[in-house]
Amino acid sequence: MEILMSILIGFLFMAAIYLILSRSLLRIIIGTGLLSHGTHLLLLTMGGLSGKAAPVLAEGITDYVDPLPQALILTAIVISFGVTAFSLVLAYRTYKELGTDNMDLMKGTEDND
């Protein structure tokens, strides 16, 4: 299972880097979202994909999974949602002001002034 997750994480990182290196602002935002999803899966895989019991305090349960990676992933999901929402609002405002989402046209070089 870890091999399959590693391949999926590699594919997500590959697609995210491809989108981040593009010129469109919306593609860059989608790329950062994919990168954060790949990071969440990486943290989950590093925590272990065993079939142990849930971390609940009950009688007779001695072997349970570590809850720390799950808590880290939950925190990272909330933070990435906030950053993505802020980035989308900023991209919308930039598009309304400049009329484009092309990063080359937003540079303000001598050719594009």
Side-chain angles (χ1 to χ4, degrees), residues 28-51:
I28 292 171
I29 294 170
I30 292 171
T32 56
L34 280 179
L35 189 66
S36 69
H37 288 311
T39 306
H40 299 156
L41 285 177
L42 180 66
L43 285 171
L44 183 67
T45 305
M46 288 175 57
L49 298 175
S50 62

PDB file of all heavy atoms in Angstrom, residues 28-51:
ATOM      1  N   ILE A  28      -1.598  28.417 -11.253  1.00  0.00           N
ATOM      2  CA  ILE A  28      -0.657  28.443 -10.132  1.00  0.00           C
ATOM      3  C   ILE A  28      -1.385  28.129  -8.828  1.00  0.00           C
ATOM      4  O   ILE A  28      -0.887  27.371  -7.987  1.00  0.00           O
ATOM      5  CB  ILE A  28       0.062  29.804 -10.068  1.00  0.00           C
ATOM      6  CG1 ILE A  28       0.981  29.964 -11.270  1.00  0.00           C
ATOM      7  CG2 ILE A  28       0.847  29.961  -8.776  1.00  0.00           C
ATOM      8  CD1 ILE A  28       1.561  31.346 -11.426  1.00  0.00           C
ATOM      9  N   ILE A  29      -2.574  28.667  -8.657  1.00  0.00           N
ATOM     10  CA  ILE A  29      -3.358  28.404  -7.446  1.00  0.00           C
ATOM     11  C   ILE A  29      -3.781  26.933  -7.387  1.00  0.00           C
ATOM     12  O   ILE A  29      -3.709  26.292  -6.332  1.00  0.00           O
ATOM     13  CB  ILE A  29      -4.574  29.347  -7.379  1.00  0.00           C
ATOM     14  CG1 ILE A  29      -4.095  30.790  -7.202  1.00  0.00           C
ATOM     15  CG2 ILE A  29      -5.515  28.962  -6.261  1.00  0.00           C
ATOM     16  CD1 ILE A  29      -5.173  31.820  -7.367  1.00  0.00           C
ATOM     17  N   ILE A  30      -4.197  26.378  -8.511  1.00  0.00           N
ATOM     18  CA  ILE A  30      -4.550  24.954  -8.549  1.00  0.00           C
ATOM     19  C   ILE A  30      -3.320  24.096  -8.248  1.00  0.00           C
ATOM     20  O   ILE A  30      -3.405  23.087  -7.546  1.00  0.00           O
ATOM     21  CB  ILE A  30      -5.176  24.594  -9.912  1.00  0.00           C
ATOM     22  CG1 ILE A  30      -6.530  25.276 -10.054  1.00  0.00           C
ATOM     23  CG2 ILE A  30      -5.324  23.085 -10.070  1.00  0.00           C
ATOM     24  CD1 ILE A  30      -7.136  25.165 -11.430  1.00  0.00           C
ATOM     25  N   GLY A  31      -2.157  24.517  -8.743  1.00  0.00           N
ATOM     26  CA  GLY A  31      -0.925  23.789  -8.473  1.00  0.00           C
ATOM     27  C   GLY A  31      -0.560  23.791  -7.002  1.00  0.00           C
ATOM     28  O   GLY A  31      -0.117  22.772  -6.459  1.00  0.00           O
ATOM     29  N   THR A  32      -0.750  24.914  -6.328  1.00  0.00           N
ATOM     30  CA  THR A  32      -0.458  24.941  -4.893  1.00  0.00           C
ATOM     31  C   THR A  32      -1.448  24.075  -4.117  1.00  0.00           C
ATOM     32  O   THR A  32      -1.087  23.460  -3.111  1.00  0.00           O
ATOM     33  CB  THR A  32      -0.474  26.377  -4.346  1.00  0.00           C
ATOM     34  OG1 THR A  32      -1.735  26.982  -4.643  1.00  0.00           O
ATOM     35  CG2 THR A  32       0.649  27.205  -4.941  1.00  0.00           C
ATOM     36  N   GLY A  33      -2.688  24.007  -4.599  1.00  0.00           N
ATOM     37  CA  GLY A  33      -3.659  23.107  -3.966  1.00  0.00           C
ATOM     38  C   GLY A  33      -3.260  21.642  -4.126  1.00  0.00           C
ATOM     39  O   GLY A  33      -3.355  20.858  -3.173  1.00  0.00           O
ATOM     40  N   LEU A  34      -2.818  21.275  -5.324  1.00  0.00           N
ATOM     41  CA  LEU A  34      -2.355  19.901  -5.534  1.00  0.00           C
ATOM     42  C   LEU A  34      -1.115  19.593  -4.711  1.00  0.00           C
ATOM     43  O   LEU A  34      -0.957  18.489  -4.191  1.00  0.00           O
ATOM     44  CB  LEU A  34      -2.045  19.676  -7.016  1.00  0.00           C
ATOM     45  CG  LEU A  34      -3.224  19.408  -7.936  1.00  0.00           C
ATOM     46  CD1 LEU A  34      -2.746  19.241  -9.369  1.00  0.00           C
ATOM     47  CD2 LEU A  34      -3.995  18.206  -7.485  1.00  0.00           C
ATOM     48  N   LEU A  35      -0.237  20.576  -4.579  1.00  0.00           N
ATOM     49  CA  LEU A  35       0.965  20.375  -3.770  1.00  0.00           C
ATOM     50  C   LEU A  35       0.607  20.147  -2.305  1.00  0.00           C
ATOM     51  O   LEU A  35       1.193  19.292  -1.639  1.00  0.00           O
ATOM     52  CB  LEU A  35       1.898  21.578  -3.916  1.00  0.00           C
ATOM     53  CG  LEU A  35       3.282  21.452  -3.317  1.00  0.00           C
ATOM     54  CD1 LEU A  35       4.070  20.391  -4.049  1.00  0.00           C
ATOM     55  CD2 LEU A  35       4.003  22.778  -3.388  1.00  0.00           C
ATOM     56  N   SER A  36      -0.374  20.886  -1.815  1.00  0.00           N
ATOM     57  CA  SER A  36      -0.780  20.676  -0.424  1.00  0.00           C
ATOM     58  C   SER A  36      -1.451  19.316  -0.241  1.00  0.00           C
ATOM     59  O   SER A  36      -1.245  18.652   0.779  1.00  0.00           O
ATOM     60  CB  SER A  36      -1.702  21.802   0.042  1.00  0.00           C
ATOM     61  OG  SER A  36      -2.948  21.733  -0.616  1.00  0.00           O
ATOM     62  N   HIS A  37      -2.236  18.863  -1.229  1.00  0.00           N
ATOM     63  CA  HIS A  37      -2.840  17.530  -1.131  1.00  0.00           C
ATOM     64  C   HIS A  37      -1.776  16.437  -1.144  1.00  0.00           C
ATOM     65  O   HIS A  37      -1.890  15.446  -0.415  1.00  0.00           O
ATOM     66  CB  HIS A  37      -3.833  17.291  -2.259  1.00  0.00           C
ATOM     67  CG  HIS A  37      -5.104  18.064  -2.120  1.00  0.00           C
ATOM     68  ND1 HIS A  37      -5.832  18.099  -0.962  1.00  0.00           N
ATOM     69  CD2 HIS A  37      -5.778  18.834  -2.998  1.00  0.00           C
ATOM     70  CE1 HIS A  37      -6.901  18.854  -1.127  1.00  0.00           C
ATOM     71  NE2 HIS A  37      -6.880  19.316  -2.360  1.00  0.00           N
ATOM     72  N   GLY A  38      -0.749  16.627  -1.963  1.00  0.00           N
ATOM     73  CA  GLY A  38       0.350  15.670  -1.970  1.00  0.00           C
ATOM     74  C   GLY A  38       1.080  15.633  -0.640  1.00  0.00           C
ATOM     75  O   GLY A  38       1.478  14.567  -0.159  1.00  0.00           O
ATOM     76  N   THR A  39       1.238  16.786  -0.026  1.00  0.00           N
ATOM     77  CA  THR A  39       1.880  16.850   1.286  1.00  0.00           C
ATOM     78  C   THR A  39       1.022  16.167   2.348  1.00  0.00           C
ATOM     79  O   THR A  39       1.555  15.479   3.232  1.00  0.00           O
ATOM     80  CB  THR A  39       2.138  18.318   1.673  1.00  0.00           C
ATOM     81  OG1 THR A  39       2.867  18.947   0.628  1.00  0.00           O
ATOM     82  CG2 THR A  39       2.918  18.409   2.955  1.00  0.00           C
ATOM     83  N   HIS A  40      -0.283  16.323   2.271  1.00  0.00           N
ATOM     84  CA  HIS A  40      -1.173  15.650   3.227  1.00  0.00           C
ATOM     85  C   HIS A  40      -1.061  14.136   3.093  1.00  0.00           C
ATOM     86  O   HIS A  40      -0.982  13.424   4.111  1.00  0.00           O
ATOM     87  CB  HIS A  40      -2.622  16.068   2.999  1.00  0.00           C
ATOM     88  CG  HIS A  40      -2.857  17.530   3.168  1.00  0.00           C
ATOM     89  ND1 HIS A  40      -3.907  18.168   2.574  1.00  0.00           N
ATOM     90  CD2 HIS A  40      -2.178  18.483   3.836  1.00  0.00           C
ATOM     91  CE1 HIS A  40      -3.873  19.449   2.868  1.00  0.00           C
ATOM     92  NE2 HIS A  40      -2.824  19.657   3.635  1.00  0.00           N
ATOM     93  N   LEU A  41      -1.040  13.650   1.865  1.00  0.00           N
ATOM     94  CA  LEU A  41      -0.888  12.216   1.669  1.00  0.00           C
ATOM     95  C   LEU A  41       0.483  11.726   2.125  1.00  0.00           C
ATOM     96  O   LEU A  41       0.614  10.618   2.638  1.00  0.00           O
ATOM     97  CB  LEU A  41      -1.109  11.854   0.201  1.00  0.00           C
ATOM     98  CG  LEU A  41      -2.548  11.858  -0.278  1.00  0.00           C
ATOM     99  CD1 LEU A  41      -2.614  11.558  -1.775  1.00  0.00           C
ATOM    100  CD2 LEU A  41      -3.364  10.850   0.492  1.00  0.00           C
ATOM    101  N   LEU A  42       1.512  12.554   1.936  1.00  0.00           N
ATOM    102  CA  LEU A  42       2.847  12.183   2.393  1.00  0.00           C
ATOM    103  C   LEU A  42       2.888  12.051   3.911  1.00  0.00           C
ATOM    104  O   LEU A  42       3.449  11.095   4.450  1.00  0.00           O
ATOM    105  CB  LEU A  42       3.864  13.220   1.921  1.00  0.00           C
ATOM    106  CG  LEU A  42       5.316  12.985   2.306  1.00  0.00           C
ATOM    107  CD1 LEU A  42       5.847  11.745   1.621  1.00  0.00           C
ATOM    108  CD2 LEU A  42       6.155  14.193   1.956  1.00  0.00           C
ATOM    109  N   LEU A  43       2.273  12.995   4.614  1.00  0.00           N
ATOM    110  CA  LEU A  43       2.221  12.911   6.076  1.00  0.00           C
ATOM    111  C   LEU A  43       1.434  11.682   6.536  1.00  0.00           C
ATOM    112  O   LEU A  43       1.819  11.006   7.489  1.00  0.00           O
ATOM    113  CB  LEU A  43       1.587  14.175   6.667  1.00  0.00           C
ATOM    114  CG  LEU A  43       2.436  15.433   6.686  1.00  0.00           C
ATOM    115  CD1 LEU A  43       1.598  16.623   7.102  1.00  0.00           C
ATOM    116  CD2 LEU A  43       3.611  15.250   7.610  1.00  0.00           C
ATOM    117  N   LEU A  44       0.344  11.396   5.847  1.00  0.00           N
ATOM    118  CA  LEU A  44      -0.457  10.233   6.201  1.00  0.00           C
ATOM    119  C   LEU A  44       0.318   8.935   5.976  1.00  0.00           C
ATOM    120  O   LEU A  44       0.272   8.020   6.805  1.00  0.00           O
ATOM    121  CB  LEU A  44      -1.749  10.214   5.385  1.00  0.00           C
ATOM    122  CG  LEU A  44      -2.733   9.099   5.681  1.00  0.00           C
ATOM    123  CD1 LEU A  44      -3.299   9.266   7.077  1.00  0.00           C
ATOM    124  CD2 LEU A  44      -3.840   9.102   4.663  1.00  0.00           C
ATOM    125  N   THR A  45       1.050   8.870   4.883  1.00  0.00           N
ATOM    126  CA  THR A  45       1.829   7.668   4.585  1.00  0.00           C
ATOM    127  C   THR A  45       2.987   7.514   5.559  1.00  0.00           C
ATOM    128  O   THR A  45       3.309   6.394   5.979  1.00  0.00           O
ATOM    129  CB  THR A  45       2.355   7.729   3.141  1.00  0.00           C
ATOM    130  OG1 THR A  45       1.255   7.929   2.256  1.00  0.00           O
ATOM    131  CG2 THR A  45       3.059   6.451   2.756  1.00  0.00           C
ATOM    132  N   MET A  46       3.619   8.604   5.926  1.00  0.00           N
ATOM    133  CA  MET A  46       4.720   8.527   6.882  1.00  0.00           C
ATOM    134  C   MET A  46       4.231   8.101   8.260  1.00  0.00           C
ATOM    135  O   MET A  46       4.985   7.486   9.014  1.00  0.00           O
ATOM    136  CB  MET A  46       5.442   9.870   6.979  1.00  0.00           C
ATOM    137  CG  MET A  46       6.263  10.193   5.760  1.00  0.00           C
ATOM    138  SD  MET A  46       6.997  11.830   5.800  1.00  0.00           S
ATOM    139  CE  MET A  46       7.930  11.776   7.288  1.00  0.00           C
ATOM    140  N   GLY A  47       2.992   8.420   8.594  1.00  0.00           N
ATOM    141  CA  GLY A  47       2.419   8.010   9.871  1.00  0.00           C
ATOM    142  C   GLY A  47       2.126   6.521   9.929  1.00  0.00           C
ATOM    143  O   GLY A  47       1.936   5.971  11.011  1.00  0.00           O
ATOM    144  N   GLY A  48       2.071   5.886   8.788  1.00  0.00           N
ATOM    145  CA  GLY A  48       1.818   4.446   8.753  1.00  0.00           C
ATOM    146  C   GLY A  48       0.410   4.148   8.305  1.00  0.00           C
ATOM    147  O   GLY A  48      -0.546   4.800   8.734  1.00  0.00           O
ATOM    148  N   LEU A  49       0.279   3.175   7.442  1.00  0.00           N
ATOM    149  CA  LEU A  49      -1.030   2.779   6.925  1.00  0.00           C
ATOM    150  C   LEU A  49      -1.414   1.409   7.468  1.00  0.00           C
ATOM    151  O   LEU A  49      -1.824   0.527   6.746  1.00  0.00           O
ATOM    152  CB  LEU A  49      -0.996   2.747   5.389  1.00  0.00           C
ATOM    153  CG  LEU A  49      -0.695   4.068   4.704  1.00  0.00           C
ATOM    154  CD1 LEU A  49      -0.573   3.869   3.206  1.00  0.00           C
ATOM    155  CD2 LEU A  49      -1.772   5.079   5.009  1.00  0.00           C
ATOM    156  N   SER A  50      -1.257   1.236   8.736  1.00  0.00           N
ATOM    157  CA  SER A  50      -1.573  -0.055   9.342  1.00  0.00           C
ATOM    158  C   SER A  50      -3.057  -0.140   9.664  1.00  0.00           C
ATOM    159  O   SER A  50      -3.756   0.850   9.729  1.00  0.00           O
ATOM    160  CB  SER A  50      -0.759  -0.244  10.618  1.00  0.00           C
ATOM    161  OG  SER A  50      -1.090   0.757  11.553  1.00  0.00           O
ATOM    162  N   GLY A  51      -3.516  -1.345   9.899  1.00  0.00           N
ATOM    163  CA  GLY A  51      -4.919  -1.565  10.217  1.00  0.00           C
ATOM    164  C   GLY A  51      -5.165  -1.658  11.704  1.00  0.00           C
ATOM    165  O   GLY A  51      -5.988  -2.447  12.150  1.00  0.00           O
TER     166      GLY A  51
END
